[in-house]
Amino acid sequence: MSEAYIQNLIAERIGGRQYGKSTAIYKFEKIKRAKRAALTAHPGAEIIDMGVGEPDEMAFPEVVAELHKEALKSENRGYADNGDAALKEAAARYLDRVCGVQGIDPETEVMHSIGSKAALSILPAALINPGDYVLMTSPGYPVFGTHAKYYGGLVHNLRLAEANSFLPDLDGVPKDILGKAKVLVVNYPNNPTGASASSEFFAKVVSFAQANRLVVVHDAAYAALVFEGKPLSFLATAGAKEVGVELHSTSKSFNMTGWRCGFVAGNELLVKAYGDVKDNTDSGQFLAIQHAAAYCFDHPEITGKIAAKYSRRMDALVKVLGAAGFDEKKTKGSFFLYVKAPKVAVTKNGVRRDFRNAEEVSQWLISEKLISTVPWDDADAYLRFSVTFMAKDATDETRVLNELANRLGEVSFEF
Ligand SMILES: Cc1ncc(COP(=O)(O)O)c(C=O)c1O
């Protein structure tokens, strides 16, 4: 069989006959390669990895114990399909107690997900016809848009700028796009900017959606990780349930990225449509995992402890970056600190390096200082630091941050 046999059969949506032939290297692969090269050049050295996008610790022991207990039950062994009542009811209680969202019907307005990523990949099938536009924030988590494009949809990016507190300028969407737009995807606290929304912003989102007949998908993957006050749910906004759904996940809030469990809640018809496509996509998350997730949603104090750790690390990181010349303020939630990338670095021995973009800064920091960050050049040049860096304990955490301060202190940055 010729090599072209399968190549000629690949769908256009992932590149068709050109699939797999591109030599372009993507951002995260570039970071990986730069880290490998830095370690080869400096054998035995430590990379200070501030680019991690997930929790550094495992799930709490009581959650693992719950999984163990539930995994031993014969009735949990089979296909879970669209789930049983345990997670749905815990999710409704969670939305009420933790987020102040009353009146969610667990039977009809909640359904589990195999993580928010899976939900974001399923929802476009329920909503997008060819030619429909999705309004997505940029920079942002692209999964909904990727799948919308698979269905012939188009993505219009809403730039997140610091001057607008990293909130999208909804009034700036061109009229012709708005006429063809069907979905608005937002995510707060936001990856990568770390910015939080306000109830005024969510109220504006609801009225904007109503005025333009849009569905709103609020990806609340980081919603529970707040440093003060209560998590802000989109569903707590008057009218939100008429226009949209919100996605919650145990991944970041309960240190459970690998467990793959969350939920979609909100508009009944949207939840039903999500469930219908989901039913034709997967056979549900293992019930033992769903029940452990339900345990989590009834124990939000776990998230409180995780958030307290991130808050402590964030305070220290802001100081370290401030001392190195970065203009940075602590965020209200998430584990990200999004800092303006410097334009120039001058080392102690007077060597000057100009940067054209954040990617160049990130590569330079890895190769010269063994500090890993994630660059974002989608809307201005920024670096994303994450407080989920590896540290054995609080003492080690201080050591890592001191080491970061020492390495950055050897450089004078210009912005
Ligand atoms: C904004 C955002 N949404 C969703 C996800 C995926 O979350 P989950 O693990 O629940 O699929 C991530 C993961 O990094 C994320 O940053």
Side-chain angles (χ1 to χ4, degrees), residues 53-54 113-120 140-141 187 189-191 219-222 248-252 256-258 260-262 335-336 384:
E54 60 179 314
S113 68
I114 303 185
S116 294
K117 185 176 191 175
L120 290 165
Y141 191 71
N187 154 237
N190 181 256
N191 177 12
D219 173 0
Y222 301 87
H248 287 261
S249 170
T250 55
S251 287
K252 316 291 164 108
M256 287 162 68
T257 43
R260 314 308 305 136
C261 202
F335 44 65
F336 298 124
R384 192 190 75 186

Side-chain angles (χ1 to χ4, degrees), residues 65-73 76 286-289 291-292:
E66 191 67 17
L67 172 66
H68 182 232
K69 188 183 91 192
E70 292 296 315
L72 289 170
K73 293 181 182 168
N76 288 341
F286 181 28
L287 280 171
I289 290 182
H291 295 171

Side-chain angles (χ1 to χ4, degrees), residues 28 49-56 141 191 222 251-252 257 310 335-336 374 384-389:
F28 289 98
D49 197 346
M50 293 280 155
V52 188
E54 60 179 314
D56 56 312
Y141 191 71
N191 177 12
Y222 301 87
S251 287
K252 316 291 164 108
T257 43
Y310 294 160
F335 44 65
F336 298 124
V374 179
R384 192 190 75 186
F385 285 72
S386 173
V387 293
T388 54
F389 56 85

Side-chain angles (χ1 to χ4, degrees), residues 28 31 35 46-54 313-314 316-318 320-321 335-338 365-366 370-376 383-391 396-405 408:
F28 289 98
I31 294 171
K35 285 201 275 193
E46 179 189 16
I47 299 230
I48 305 281
D49 197 346
M50 293 280 155
V52 188
E54 60 179 314
R313 287 180 170 204
M314 193 70 86
L317 181 60
V318 166
V320 168
L321 293 177
F335 44 65
F336 298 124
L337 205 56
Y338 190 66
L365 280 173
I366 296 173
L370 284 84
I371 297 168
S372 181
T373 60
V374 179
W376 295 83
L383 298 172
R384 192 190 75 186
F385 285 72
S386 173
V387 293
T388 54
F389 56 85
M390 290 301 290
D396 197 38
E397 184 180 305
T398 308
R399 181 196 64 79
V400 171
L401 287 163
N402 285 343
E403 182 59 26
L404 176 69
L408 291 175

